[in-house]
Amino acid sequence: MLNDPFGKNAWFDFKKGEPTFTGTEPKAKTLIISLILTALIAALYFYISLPALNPRTQEFWTFVMIVFAVFTGIYLFRRGLKARTAGEFLQGCRKDCIVPAAVILACVVIMFAGGVIGHPLLHAGAYSRLLPFETGDFSSDVEESDFSRIPMLDSASSNTLATRKLGELRDLVSQFEVDPDSAQINYRGKPVRVSYLNYGDIIKWWNNRASGIPAYIITDMQSQAVSVVRLESGNGIKYSPSEHFNRYLYRHLRFSYPTAIFGEVNFEIDEEGKPYWIASVEKKTIGLFDGTDIRGAVLVNAVTGETEYYDIESVPQWVDRVYSSNLVMTQYNYYGLYHNGFINSIFGQQDCTIVTQGYNYLAMNDDVWLYTGVTSVGGDESNVGFILVNQRTKEAKYYSCAGAEEYSGMASAEGAVQQYSYAATFPLLLNISGQPTYFMALKDNSQLVKMYAMVNVREYQLVATAATVSQCQENYVNLLAQQGIIGNAEAAAAIHADLGTVEGKVVDLRSAVIDGNTVYYIKLDEDNRYFTISAADAPMAVILDVGDRVEISCAANDNNAIAAAASLTVLGSGG
């Protein structure tokens, strides 16, 4: 029972159904109790929702409004219990609601005004400059493709392989599951995807919380080899998105940095294999809430929870992903739409471009670069160019390259092997013999890579496919020579430009007839691969026996389980 708004000792007796005047509760006490209850509710809301305590976010002003609304409701409820009449209660509300209502109204005005003053109509030029880039020449700036730096898998295929690998480990598969959101990084000079594990459910979390998540998975993007990296016993990953309470990753970040505006959070490993969470820290550069960019990153040790903030200029070299793909593409779209003014983006749309609805990654210079095509806003099926953006530094380059857009290239590749019903991954744009070329993997229904395809960007009906990358490149270069796009000498030089030799004793020998040609599969004692070569290219393969010593030439960077041989030399008989 509470005192009325006018200080009278009116207490409501629920048994008699009428007010009685026995005792009092001072207004100050009502205020203190209301503040305490509001603080408890606000703390619970903050603990669950984790808003950034930063006035440059709308969630901050929403939090302020909720706090004042809760306080007002509690305060009026307690004061209202003591009112002798409805009129007294309403008159008291008018007095006590002035300040809270003014604060809530101010928050609404700030949120509305913040959205208006940051609109592209007023800042088209500032939006168009969020992603500064250089313009380059494709044939001279983009080197001939080194397939040792090119990923052969996409995220879905990598996740399938990681899940299957986890299924082989009885002690892990019953308690954990692979998170589908793996990140492509460069690890010890190779493009890989690292996948973290989640607790299977709340009971499995309870049973394993003391030791944490004991492993993570690395998928080699070239060889498709999958390895499970186990952490030291008792020192598993204790901070992750599947944790609870204070070890929940996003709560740990918010309590460590209450005012930071966090963007994308990625799982990466350093060169020693230590697991970290890389949390991008955003800044607003236009108006109050707009012009999102990155000012730095917080690195969280996934085992110990230790955190350290780095400005964007000082982020460690081994970190690969600070700028998210969506942020980079959004910033380019701002340039493509608004560099000639906001009105032009609505009416006329002269020289307006946007990125295509897809992207992929390239490993270059120990960094991960985002690739995506650029097309006109008219919605045609052609690209006008593409961009490469460093996801650690945001260094960006634009290349003018007219031709078919990526989905047309994917459809062309799928049509070349339509009898298998393979699906193409989103392609990369490579330089093959000076020609802009879409390179993609072809997957079966189980998300496993079965073949590779190369499609000429300018003439996308020119498609080459093969079971290995080196063979696909050879088929593609020969196709370019047949069409007169490059010369025969140039084709021969491209095919044999990067050959290495492997010497060893034949330990397994098999053959198959493919398209009327006999192809031999040769395995050596000093190499885990099978080398393929046709009898037409190497007549000596016909008389090979297990135990013979041979020298095989193949692409030096072909690390596939089945590699195409360029030549075969018999060094000695096993007999």
Side-chain angles (χ1 to χ4, degrees):
M1 294 182 290
L2 303 174
N3 192 26
D4 68 39
F6 307 99
K8 298 179 180 178
N9 301 330
W11 295 77
F12 195 86
D13 190 327
F14 288 94
K15 291 184 178 180
K16 295 182 179 181
E18 60 184 10
T20 181
F21 299 89
T22 57
T24 182
E25 179 180 279
K27 190 174 182 180
K29 183 178 180 181
T30 301
L31 178 63
I32 292 172
I33 293 175
S34 298
L35 286 173
I36 292 173
L37 292 175
T38 300
L40 292 174
I41 293 174
L44 180 62
Y45 177 86
F46 180 80
Y47 190 82
I48 295 174
S49 299
L50 305 173
L53 301 182
N54 190 316
R56 303 207 68 172
T57 65
Q58 291 186 336
E59 62 188 28
F60 168 78
W61 298 105
T62 300
F63 178 57
V64 172
M65 286 193 296
I66 290 174
V67 169
F68 273 86
V70 168
F71 168 77
T72 304
I74 294 174
Y75 182 80
L76 292 179
F77 176 75
R78 293 184 63 82
R79 299 285 292 166
L81 289 178
K82 295 170 48 186
R84 288 172 297 181
T85 66
E88 286 184 352
F89 174 70
L90 293 176
Q91 189 173 359
C93 285
R94 283 194 292 270
K95 287 180 57 179
D96 297 330
C97 287
I98 292 177
V99 173
V103 172
I104 293 174
L105 179 61
C107 291
V108 173
V109 172
I110 290 172
M111 293 176 67
F112 176 77
V116 171
I117 63 176
H119 194 274
L121 175 63
L122 306 176
H123 304 280
Y127 275 96
S128 69
R129 292 188 293 270
L130 283 174
L131 181 67
F133 58 86
E134 299 176 355
T135 300
D137 178 72
F138 177 81
S139 59
S140 61
D141 289 356
V142 180
E143 297 179 355
E144 287 277 342
S145 300
D146 179 0
F147 287 96
S148 65
R149 300 198 305 259
I150 297 174
M152 308 299 176
L153 298 173
D154 61 359
S155 177
S157 298
S158 175
N159 184 61
T160 297
L161 293 173
T163 301
R164 291 186 179 183
K165 184 66 175 181
L166 183 67
E168 300 173 3
L169 307 173
R170 292 185 179 180
D171 61 323
L172 295 181
V173 70
S174 63
Q175 300 297 308
F176 306 96
E177 56 189 28
V178 176
D179 190 278
D181 190 22
S182 62
Q184 181 179 320
I185 65 171
N186 286 336
Y187 178 56
R188 297 177 180 175
K190 296 193 302 183
V192 303
R193 279 191 176 269
V194 286
S195 303
Y196 60 91
L197 305 181
N198 291 323
Y199 296 104
D201 52 46
I202 189 68
I203 302 300
K204 294 170 182 176
W205 164 78
W206 180 264
N207 292 336
N208 295 278
R209 72 190 189 286
S211 57
I213 299 171
Y216 59 85
I217 298 177
I218 297 178
T219 304
D220 191 306
M221 301 293 285
Q222 295 175 288
S223 66
Q224 305 184 38
V226 183
S227 58
V228 176
V229 179
R230 293 182 180 268
L231 303 171
E232 294 181 10
S233 178
N235 291 320
I237 294 173
K238 296 185 174 67
Y239 294 83
S240 74
S242 63
E243 279 287 352
H244 298 277
F245 303 111
N246 287 1
R247 280 174 23 187
Y248 174 57
L249 175 62
Y250 298 98
R251 186 167 295 120
H252 180 66
L253 281 167
R254 176 56 64 221
F255 285 0
S256 301
Y257 301 89
T259 62
I261 307 172
F262 289 111
E264 185 175 276
V265 180
N266 293 298
F267 181 73
E268 295 193 28
I269 55 177
D270 65 11
E271 293 302 301
E272 297 176 356
K274 294 180 180 179
Y276 284 86
W277 298 100
I278 313 300
S280 302
V281 180
E282 297 179 346
K283 61 180 179 180
K284 305 299 180 179
T285 63
I286 300 174
L288 187 61
F289 306 128
D290 300 293
T292 300
D293 207 350
I294 302 298
R295 69 180 180 90
V298 173
L299 275 59
V300 184
N301 187 307
V303 176
T304 66
E306 296 176 356
T307 64
E308 187 168 1
Y309 170 78
Y310 294 88
D311 288 327
I312 194 64
E313 297 83 7
S314 58
V315 172
Q317 175 72 34
W318 62 265
V319 174
D320 288 313
R321 297 165 68 96
V322 178
Y323 290 88
S324 71
S325 305
N326 289 333
L327 176 62
V328 167
M329 293 192 297
T330 297
Q331 289 188 345
Y332 179 84
N333 284 343
Y334 287 148
Y335 166 80
L337 291 173
Y338 303 137
H339 68 280
N340 284 330
F342 180 80
I343 301 301
N344 179 71
S345 70
I346 305 298
F347 304 103
Q349 298 182 330
Q350 183 178 357
D351 197 27
C352 285
T353 57
I354 56 174
V355 298
T356 52
Q357 298 301 310
Y359 55 88
N360 213 326
Y361 305 101
L362 275 176
M364 300 190 329
N365 303 322
D366 199 31
D367 278 317
V368 173
W369 293 68
L370 171 82
Y371 156 79
T372 186
V374 176
T375 186
S376 64
V377 296
D380 57 13
E381 295 185 356
S382 62
N383 279 353
V384 297
F386 71 99
I387 57 173
L388 289 176
V389 183
N390 188 313
Q391 290 196 277
R392 180 175 60 88
T393 65
K394 207 176 77 168
E395 177 186 355
K397 296 182 179 181
Y398 171 81
Y399 296 95
S400 178
C401 179
E405 55 92 30
E406 292 91 342
Y407 290 98
S408 296
M410 292 165 64
S412 185
E414 291 170 353
V417 290
Q418 58 184 322
Q419 67 273 25
Y420 301 120
S421 299
Y422 291 158
T425 61
F426 191 84
L428 285 170
L429 188 62
L430 306 181
N431 183 352
I432 306 294
S433 298
Q435 293 293 308
T437 303
Y438 287 136
F439 170 76
M440 65 204 83
L442 298 169
K443 305 184 298 183
D444 62 12
N445 292 332
S446 60
Q447 297 296 314
L448 296 180
V449 174
K450 296 298 184 181
M451 299 182 71
Y452 301 94
M454 293 183 181
V455 180
N456 189 274
V457 172
R458 297 189 178 97
E459 305 289 340
Y460 70 98
Q461 74 277 8
L462 300 181
V463 184
T465 62
T468 66
V469 176
S470 58
Q471 187 62 54
C472 183
Q473 181 185 12
E474 182 176 343
N475 294 345
Y476 178 71
V477 171
N478 287 333
L479 182 62
L480 294 179
Q482 293 171 11
Q483 297 296 319
I485 297 175
I486 62 175
N488 291 328
E490 186 180 354
I495 293 172
H496 301 290
D498 189 22
L499 291 181
T501 59
V502 178
E503 183 180 327
K505 183 171 65 175
V506 178
V507 294
D508 194 11
L509 182 64
R510 306 184 187 191
S511 64
V513 177
I514 300 176
D515 295 331
N517 296 317
T518 301
V519 177
Y520 288 87
Y521 294 77
I522 307 166
K523 189 174 188 301
L524 306 182
D525 59 347
E526 298 179 3
D527 201 293
N528 293 324
R529 295 171 291 179
Y530 276 90
F531 297 93
T532 66
I533 194 164
S534 69
D537 294 331
M540 291 296 293
V542 178
I543 60 173
L544 273 184
D545 289 316
V546 172
D548 290 349
R549 193 160 191 84
V550 299
E551 182 182 83
I552 294 175
S553 297
C554 68
N557 51 31
D558 195 340
N559 296 317
N560 293 281
I562 299 177
S567 66
L568 169 70
T569 303
V570 180
L571 301 178
S573 172

